[in-house]
Amino acid sequence: MLALLGVATLMLVAGAPWVLPEAAEGTNLKPPENGEVSIIDDSFTLKWNRSGGYFKNVTFSAEYQIPGMGNWRKLLGCQYVTRTECSFSSLHLRSVYENIKLRIRAEKGNSTSQWHEVPPFVPFKKAQIGPPDVRLKAEDKAIIVNISPPGTKDSTMWAMDQVNFLYSLVIWENSSSLEERTESVYSRDKIYRLSPETTYCLKVRAELRSSRKFGVYSPVSCITTTVEHKLPSPENIEISAENQIYVLKWDYTFENMTDMTFQAQWLHAFLKKIPGDHSDKWKQIPNCENVRTTRCVFPQSVFSKGIYSIRVRAADGNTTSLWSEEKKFNTEMQTVIFPPVIHVKFIGEDSLRVSIGAPEESENKSGYQLYPLIYEVVFRENTSNAERRVLEKRTDFTFPNLKPLTVYCVKARALVESNRWNKSSVFSDTVCEETKPGNTSKAWLIAGICTAVFSIVVVIYVVKALLRCVSYVFFPSSKPPSTIDECFSEKPLRNLLLSTSEEQTERCFIIENTSTVTTIEETDQIGEDYKKYSSQTSRDSGNYSNEDENSGSKISEGLLQEEPV
């Protein structure tokens, strides 16, 4: 009996380890680890890892939460799954730009683990572009490619980007996979410059360059080109603008060109971005139908502002060639920008005003008026090769602080203000103008005038002094010297010399006896006395006073002698 009890006890003890772990599973479940979401187009997949050992009958469930939603909700497609991943593509999102939160836990019976939260994500940022669907059609020297955008027809993820997809195509000859060629194509496009009867393989991937998203390549597709066509297609299409017309040219080589005619068509380039067949949207170019030359001319009014595709084909009676390689034509690139007209005028003393106007040729040109222009102005001194270049959006501006009395030259050209393409006019005619005298020149001018006036006065004074000296030396004055003039300071004698019209009367007294006095009045002519005086003076001016006294005594004596009569 005791033996049986011992055996039973040993069996219970030995069986205990198989029972205890199972009981622990229900109470100590560990949460999942490393939860991660992957999105390709509209397919959402949640993946995670188990934590701890393997447990039987353990399932996993997930919940999600969107901003504005108070409670967590069950994630459809991810409830009680036995694997470590689930798909929840059926989740209806209000926007692919919302921030989504996910959490996941392990479950067994009535026991659950703690929640494991997955890092929040924005579906559009998390999504990857899947491979597009590619269909091919062969020609003799080209392959027509039809590409369906990634995702489903009613895709939520790429609903706003269906027309923004660009496609990168890699093509190579099946016999030589080393010679690959990569091209950017639209959803419906052609791959040109191939060889007839040759098998080519290609793969395509979609891109959203604005979002920096690059998809995965499609499966490789192969196709063989057809036998070379009887009539070759035109080549090297070119289009150029001249005045108000477009000139379309192409090359064509064929043995018999006598009955050959050509036809040209155009298509809006934006239609190529829209998935689908747009072969019925091509339109005939006026004046380019059934032409017999390798060129045609049509008015610019045929095309409004935009980008177009041009194609040409040849015809010989009822036989036509395949369409040529399509030529992209941008009207902006073909717009002729005429050089501006500039006017130069000096304002003040040291500032040059430049005015820019549109040329007469551009008045009817929509290109000159529709596109924003900037102006490159080249400014320099006429005697110098050093140029100063400035860019101006204004049509009226000023160059200040210039040198006075200096010739400056200006020329300008118009540039189209666009980051998409570079186009400009030729430079205008050079206009030159000389600056006016500055304040410094005026000061020098005034100083020069004052100096000249002062110099003239000095010269006149010096010349006058020299003439006076010459006149004194070679032409002496008849006026008596000052020593003689002093002698005539007495009034009677001075009056004698100065008064020529008056007569002087002297009273003379003859004394015969002391008792008898006879008065005689004698009148002398002043002129005769003046002559005698002058002659005596010229002989001997020093003895004038003595002779005068002697003459007076002689007169008295004569009168005394004549008294008896």
Side-chain angles (χ1 to χ4, degrees):
M1 188 66 180
L2 292 173
L4 292 173
L5 292 173
V7 172
T9 304
L10 290 173
M11 292 179 63
L12 290 172
V13 172
W18 295 95
V19 177
L20 292 175
E22 188 172 341
E25 289 181 15
T27 57
N28 296 316
L29 287 177
K30 292 184 179 180
E33 296 177 342
N34 304 324
E36 184 180 1
V37 174
S38 65
I39 305 174
I40 298 177
D41 296 335
D42 293 281
S43 298
F44 292 71
T45 303
L46 174 62
K47 297 181 180 180
W48 62 89
N49 294 331
R50 296 175 183 267
S51 60
Y54 176 77
F55 303 114
K56 293 181 179 180
N57 302 325
V58 175
T59 59
F60 302 91
S61 296
E63 295 181 346
Y64 74 97
Q65 187 182 50
I66 298 175
M69 179 188 298
N71 300 322
W72 288 85
R73 296 184 181 180
K74 291 182 179 181
L75 187 64
L76 298 180
C78 294
Q79 299 297 312
Y80 308 109
V81 295
T82 58
R83 296 177 300 169
T84 57
E85 66 176 48
C86 65
S87 175
F88 56 100
S89 303
S90 59
L91 177 64
H92 295 288
L93 299 174
R94 293 177 299 180
S95 172
V96 295
Y97 301 99
E98 289 183 327
N99 195 38
I100 299 177
K101 294 181 180 180
L102 295 180
R103 67 182 184 180
I104 186 172
R105 70 182 179 183
E107 303 168 335
K108 184 176 182 182
N110 294 327
S111 300
T112 59
S113 69
Q114 294 181 348
W115 289 103
H116 167 64
E117 292 192 5
V118 179
F121 65 95
V122 175
F124 183 82
K125 292 183 178 180
K126 194 74 174 177
Q128 293 180 335
I129 302 175
D133 181 40
V134 180
R135 297 181 303 278
L136 305 176
K137 182 179 179 180
E139 292 183 353
D140 59 349
K141 296 180 181 180
I143 294 176
I144 302 173
V145 181
N146 287 284
I147 304 172
S148 298
T152 61
K153 183 178 180 181
D154 299 325
S155 174
T156 302
M157 188 63 63
W158 314 123
M160 304 295 294
D161 297 288
Q162 292 289 328
V163 298
N164 295 327
F165 277 116
L166 296 178
Y167 300 96
S168 179
L169 181 145
V170 179
I171 186 171
W172 64 92
E173 287 188 22
N174 190 33
S175 59
S176 176
S177 59
L178 298 178
E179 297 181 2
E180 295 182 347
R181 176 174 133 199
T182 302
E183 292 188 10
S184 294
V185 295
Y186 294 108
S187 60
R188 181 177 174 84
D189 216 332
K190 272 188 180 184
I191 309 301
Y192 296 96
R193 299 184 297 278
L194 303 180
S195 300
E197 302 180 82
T198 305
T199 301
Y200 291 91
C201 296
L202 55 85
K203 58 182 180 179
V204 182
R205 73 174 183 182
E207 302 174 1
L208 284 176
R209 295 182 181 177
S210 59
S211 304
R212 298 182 180 180
K213 287 183 176 293
F214 300 92
V216 295
Y217 279 103
S218 65
V220 175
S221 302
C222 296
I223 193 171
T224 302
T225 54
T226 62
V227 178
E228 186 172 3
H229 204 272
K230 182 178 179 179
L231 287 179
S233 302
E235 298 177 339
N236 303 324
I237 297 175
E238 294 182 359
I239 186 168
S240 60
E242 297 180 6
N243 296 327
Q244 296 187 16
I245 61 172
Y246 287 125
V247 179
L248 179 64
K249 301 178 181 179
W250 57 88
D251 294 336
Y252 194 76
T253 303
F254 192 63
E255 295 179 357
N256 184 12
M257 293 282 292
T258 305
D259 299 326
M260 195 69 63
T261 59
F262 301 92
Q263 178 185 11
Q265 293 181 341
W266 65 270
L267 176 73
H268 286 289
F270 71 84
L271 292 174
K272 287 183 166 292
K273 296 182 179 181
I274 303 174
D277 185 8
H278 303 286
S279 57
D280 58 339
K281 302 290 193 306
W282 287 90
K283 297 182 180 180
Q284 180 64 43
I285 298 178
N287 303 330
C288 294
E289 185 177 9
N290 298 325
V291 295
R292 295 185 176 276
T293 59
T294 56
R295 68 191 300 269
C296 61
V297 178
F298 55 96
Q300 291 188 8
S301 58
V302 171
F303 297 127
S304 57
K305 179 181 176 181
I307 302 176
Y308 301 86
S309 293
I310 307 293
R311 67 181 185 180
V312 182
R313 73 176 178 184
D316 185 7
N318 295 327
T319 305
T320 59
S321 69
L322 298 173
W323 288 103
S324 67
E325 180 176 351
E326 295 170 7
K327 176 71 173 180
K328 183 181 289 187
F329 168 58
N330 190 339
T331 58
E332 293 181 349
M333 297 296 294
Q334 299 296 332
T335 301
V336 178
I337 306 298
F338 292 93
V341 176
I342 59 175
H343 302 280
V344 175
K345 181 181 180 182
F346 281 97
I347 55 176
E349 299 172 348
D350 61 349
S351 297
L352 179 66
R353 181 177 181 180
V354 179
S355 299
I356 298 179
E360 295 180 358
E361 296 88 344
S362 66
E363 291 182 355
N364 296 325
K365 300 292 182 181
S366 59
Y368 203 92
Q369 299 170 355
L370 294 179
Y371 306 122
L373 300 176
I374 57 176
Y375 300 95
E376 180 184 5
V377 183
V378 178
F379 180 75
R380 65 177 178 86
E381 291 184 23
N382 191 32
T383 57
S384 174
N385 292 327
E387 295 181 341
R388 176 182 172 189
R389 294 176 179 266
V390 295
L391 292 177
E392 289 284 349
K393 290 185 178 181
R394 300 171 297 169
T395 57
D396 197 335
F397 48 91
T398 303
F399 290 102
N401 303 323
L402 304 180
K403 299 177 184 179
L405 296 177
T406 304
V407 177
Y408 290 92
C409 297
V410 183
K411 63 180 180 179
R413 66 173 178 171
L415 307 172
V416 177
E417 190 179 8
S418 174
N419 294 327
R420 292 178 298 169
W421 51 284
N422 182 20
K423 194 171 186 65
S424 64
S425 71
V426 298
F427 276 101
S428 65
D429 295 333
T430 302
V431 179
C432 298
E433 192 72 22
E434 184 178 10
T435 55
K436 298 179 181 179
N439 294 328
T440 304
S441 300
K442 286 186 176 180
W444 280 106
L445 183 61
I446 294 173
I449 293 174
C450 293
T451 302
V453 171
F454 179 76
S455 300
I456 292 172
V457 172
V458 171
V459 170
I460 292 174
Y461 179 80
V462 172
V463 171
K464 189 174 181 180
L466 290 175
L467 290 176
R468 187 180 298 171
C469 291
V470 172
S471 176
Y472 179 79
V473 174
F474 295 101
F475 304 99
S477 176
S478 59
K479 183 179 179 180
S482 59
T483 54
I484 299 176
D485 190 58
E486 291 176 356
C487 297
F488 290 91
S489 60
E490 297 179 2
K491 187 175 182 180
L493 295 177
R494 185 177 295 276
N495 293 337
L496 178 64
L497 295 175
L498 298 177
S499 300
T500 57
S501 61
E502 297 182 358
E503 296 181 355
Q504 290 188 355
T505 304
E506 290 186 358
R507 290 182 178 273
C508 299
F509 298 93
I510 301 174
I511 302 174
E512 293 181 356
N513 298 316
T514 54
S515 57
T516 305
V517 178
T518 306
T519 301
I520 302 175
E521 293 185 0
E522 182 178 8
T523 302
D524 294 331
Q525 297 295 330
I526 297 298
E528 295 177 358
D529 293 339
Y530 178 75
K531 293 179 180 179
K532 293 178 181 180
Y533 167 78
S534 298
S535 61
Q536 290 175 356
T537 303
S538 62
R539 292 194 202 106
D540 189 2
S541 60
N543 298 326
Y544 173 76
S545 59
N546 294 330
E547 290 179 357
D548 188 45
E549 293 176 356
N550 294 335
S551 62
S553 60
K554 288 181 181 181
I555 293 172
S556 301
E557 291 178 358
L559 292 174
L560 292 173
Q561 290 177 0
E562 293 177 358
E563 180 65 22
V565 179

